Amino acid sequence: MRRRSLLALAGTVGIGVVGSVTDALPVFSVSSFAVSTEKAAPEHRWVLTVTERYAPDERESIDGEVVDLADLDAEMSSFLRAAVSDDDGMTQRAGRDELPDGLSTTLDRYEAVTGFPDTEDLCGFELWRRDPNRAPALAFDAELVDDRIAFGNPGRIELSVRNRSDERQSLFTGRHPPFGHQWAERTDTDRFVHLWHPDSPFGHLDPLATSISAVGMHHPVEPGQTQTQAYELRAGDRSLAVGEYEVTNELDYRPADAPWSAPYSRVEWRVGFELGR
């Protein structure tokens, strides 16, 4: 009897401790929720990308002529150097509305260019025509679903991407697409709050939640499809504090059937909100 009484007392104390801890957790509210987007690319009618890279010892195997960068005029050389510095095609430093004289002829004649200051590689190039006035194929949006953050009741934000085109699009993202890991940064300090979602295991965060691993991957978005991903602001997160926050990122995408060297289109997006008590 005494043992059962002690166990019952221990259980009561345990419940009391848990209750006192959860009662002590602050309750936050989310307000001033705002969404903005801006088309960032393409900005120009022409984009130059690197399609091939050859090591110096592969020069003899190149099936075509090779030209030295120093033998080209200054404007053309500058354009080619910009493309080499933007090897992933995302920042599109090698974008122009008007092409350097003779560029198309040079690219048709030579298989590769050598003599770049930042790499020993011999590089092959491709020129892409873009439409900077065309509306983005992918559209971003966000919604505040639950504005109260308390124990057992996380605040909830949904991010969505919609394919407005009649082509399948390939979105460059991280693990757990379409948006992967996201976090909200304080606008006045360097602090941040992690946005959790159901398939975000702790294994993808370090023990102090100060860094997040990222793995790049392509994710398909079908014509007319809207894909939504929910995120939570959880009570008990030690990073939660009163203040203004913003989540910023971009949609980098291109048609799913485009070659790997094709440039991306980009839509930059921002979600802003305020945490209060």
Side-chain angles (χ1 to χ4, degrees):
M1 175 67 72
R2 176 177 172 79
R3 182 174 181 274
R4 287 198 297 269
S5 298
L6 289 174
L7 289 174
L9 177 61
T12 303
V13 171
I15 293 172
V17 170
V18 172
S20 63
V21 170
T22 57
D23 291 342
L25 291 176
V27 176
F28 291 90
S29 62
V30 184
S31 61
S32 303
F33 192 81
V35 182
S36 62
T37 63
E38 183 177 356
K39 176 184 172 183
E43 293 183 288
H44 304 285
R45 294 173 54 227
W46 298 98
V47 174
L48 186 67
T49 64
V50 176
T51 57
E52 299 287 348
R53 280 183 176 269
Y54 305 95
D57 59 4
E58 295 179 290
R59 179 164 184 159
E60 296 302 320
S61 65
I62 297 176
D63 186 19
E65 294 186 68
V66 176
V67 65
D68 194 288
L69 189 70
D71 294 331
L72 304 176
D73 67 63
E75 186 179 4
M76 193 181 303
S77 297
S78 175
F79 198 28
L80 296 175
R81 286 198 306 271
V84 170
S85 68
D86 180 34
D87 197 15
D88 62 8
M90 288 187 180
T91 57
Q92 298 187 20
R93 299 185 186 96
R96 300 285 191 278
D97 289 321
E98 299 296 332
L99 294 177
D101 292 339
L103 177 65
S104 297
T105 302
T106 299
L107 295 180
D108 288 340
R109 177 179 176 183
Y110 297 105
E111 188 70 19
V113 182
T114 187
F116 291 98
D118 298 325
T119 178
E120 295 182 352
D121 292 347
L122 292 77
C123 299
F125 298 88
E126 186 163 352
L127 196 59
W128 305 85
R129 184 158 192 164
R130 311 299 306 278
D131 183 359
N133 297 317
R134 185 178 182 180
L138 296 187
F140 172 85
D141 202 2
E143 179 182 1
L144 177 61
V145 178
D146 195 329
D147 64 358
R148 185 172 182 269
I149 307 171
F151 180 76
N153 187 98
R156 188 178 177 91
I157 295 172
E158 289 187 350
L159 308 182
S160 64
V161 56
R162 178 166 61 94
N163 185 354
R164 303 187 295 190
S165 75
D166 57 3
E167 292 182 277
R168 189 187 201 202
Q169 300 293 327
S170 180
L171 175 65
F172 187 77
T173 182
R175 303 180 79 167
H176 310 300
F179 293 102
H181 293 294
Q182 300 291 336
W183 57 93
E185 296 181 331
R186 280 277 295 269
T187 58
D188 59 344
T189 69
D190 59 358
R191 295 183 62 179
F192 71 91
V193 174
H194 180 62
L195 301 184
W196 298 87
H197 53 96
D199 55 352
S200 173
F202 187 79
H204 293 157
L205 306 175
D206 75 1
L208 297 179
T210 55
S211 65
I212 299 174
S213 63
V215 178
M217 60 183 292
H218 286 92
H219 176 70
V221 187
E222 303 295 336
Q225 182 184 33
T226 297
Q227 297 185 11
T228 301
Q229 194 162 29
Y231 293 85
E232 296 175 347
L233 292 163
R234 297 178 178 176
D237 187 329
R238 64 185 179 84
S239 299
L240 287 177
V242 171
E244 296 182 357
Y245 293 81
E246 63 177 8
V247 188
T248 59
N249 218 314
E250 56 275 328
L251 302 176
D252 287 313
Y253 65 93
R254 59 190 178 193
D257 60 357
W260 70 268
S261 58
Y264 290 83
S265 294
R266 171 174 286 185
V267 173
E268 296 176 344
W269 57 265
R270 176 187 181 276
V271 175
F273 60 88
E274 185 174 348
L275 287 184
R277 296 283 297 274

